[in-house]
Structures are given as structure tokens and as C-alpha cells.
């Protein structure tokens, strides 16, 4: 039986990547060259968010799970994701793709009848503390009759 490739179906298209790539930080650092492209790592992040799987379950075609998770966390701490979202929203707004109308809904959410009006004293709560003298007297007198 032929297996279906896990990656590719929901990956970024070339047109989407052309819009997204200029918004990404350059991050040119001295040292070892990157083993995976930013596009692979971002597709790995998108896969993980879409599927809801743990980081360690990211398919290897997107890079190592630690590289994908590391990029996500670095950019999250640096505020890169918020900057990308703001830039994409500004672009969509300029193109007229976003309508900023506010919709107010007057829907009422009713609670179950047993969710409201609970007594302040629960039915299982004793009226007197367990160690009080009055409680001991009541317990002794209610005990079995001596005969």
C-alpha cells in the first residue's frame, strides 16, 4: 500500500511565501549555516498548530522538532508573530479585504436551574463543629439505648 505524504497538503504556497518572506526577520548570524530553511520550519509550526500534536511529533521533513519549537519560542518572546500579524492585517486592510464592522449580539445564555440559588450551607455540612461539646452531648444521647 502506498503511503500518503504527511507534508505538503497544507504547506505554504509560493504565492503565500512571497507575501510572508519579506516580513520575516533576517537573523543573519555568524557560525554554522542553517540546516533547514525558514520556510520548512514555519511549515512545521503551522503543521503542529493545525494538528495539535506535541512538538516531538512534527514530521522530519519540516526539520528537527527542537529547531521548529526553538524558532517558534524565540519569535514568540521577541514579538515577531505579533509584528507579522499586524503587517498582514495592514496589507489586507489596504487591499479592502477586511471589514472592521462590529457586530453586537444580544444572545442570552441561560444557566441550568440547579446552577443558580445554591444554599450558602451545603446539605453535607454539619451545623456545629465536630469537636464541640454540644455535638458530643447530641451524639451520646442519640446512641443505642442501654437496657
Amino acid at each position: 500500500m502506498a503511503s500518503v505524504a504527511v507534508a505538503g497538503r497544507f504547506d505554504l504556497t509560493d504565492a503565500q511565501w512571497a507575501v510572508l518572506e519579506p516580513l520575516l526577520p533576517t537573523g543573519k548570524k555568524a557560525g554554522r549555516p542553517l540546516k533547514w530553511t525558514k520556510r520548512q520550519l514555519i511549515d512545521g509550526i503551522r503543521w503542529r498548530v493545525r494538528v495539535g500534536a506535541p512538538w516531538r511529533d512534527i514530521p522530519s521533513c519540516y526539520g528537527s522538532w527542537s529547531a521548529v519549537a526553538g524558532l517558534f519560542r524565540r519569535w514568540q518572546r521577541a514579538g515577531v508573530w505579533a509584528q507579522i500579524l499586524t503587517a498582514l492585517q495592514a496589507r489586507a486592510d489596504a487591499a479592502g479585504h477586511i471589514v472592521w464592522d462590529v457586530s453586537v449580539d444580544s444572545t442570552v445564555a441561560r444557566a441550568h436551574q440547579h446552577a443558580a440559588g445554591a444554599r450558602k450551607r451545603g446539605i453535607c455540612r454539619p451545623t456545629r463543629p465536630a469537636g464541640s461539646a454540644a455535638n458530643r452531648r447530641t451524639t451520646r444521647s442519640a446512641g443505642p439505648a442501654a437496657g
Side-chain angles (χ1 to χ4, degrees):
M1 174 195 264
S3 63
V4 178
V6 176
R9 193 166 122 203
F10 292 105
D11 288 352
L12 291 169
T13 64
D14 291 337
Q16 292 170 331
W17 181 248
V19 172
L20 184 62
E21 189 176 23
L23 305 176
L24 303 177
T26 56
K28 296 285 183 182
K29 292 182 182 178
R32 188 174 34 173
L34 297 175
K35 191 172 182 181
W36 300 284
T37 65
K38 280 187 185 174
R39 185 172 181 172
Q40 282 178 297
L41 297 175
I42 291 173
D43 280 334
I45 292 168
R46 293 179 68 244
W47 182 89
R48 192 260 180 192
V49 169
R50 184 179 68 253
V51 173
W55 287 109
R56 291 181 184 261
D57 291 344
I58 294 174
S60 60
C61 61
Y62 294 125
S64 72
W65 70 268
S66 58
V68 175
L71 179 73
F72 176 78
R73 288 191 185 106
R74 268 194 321 275
W75 284 8
Q76 185 180 31
R77 289 183 187 128
V80 173
W81 296 118
Q83 292 170 359
I84 291 171
L85 177 63
T86 303
L88 290 173
Q89 284 177 334
R91 179 185 167 111
D93 189 30
H97 296 301
I98 296 180
V99 179
W100 295 101
D101 293 340
V102 177
S103 175
V104 178
D105 187 8
S106 63
T107 303
V108 175
R110 304 238 355 176
H112 189 271
Q113 61 185 357
H114 296 132
R119 292 188 288 183
K120 293 195 192 288
R121 284 191 202 167
I123 58 172
C124 296
R125 195 169 155 196
T127 56
R128 295 184 211 107
S132 69
N135 194 21
R136 281 192 298 261
R137 272 184 263 125
T138 307
T139 307
R140 277 190 227 131
S141 63

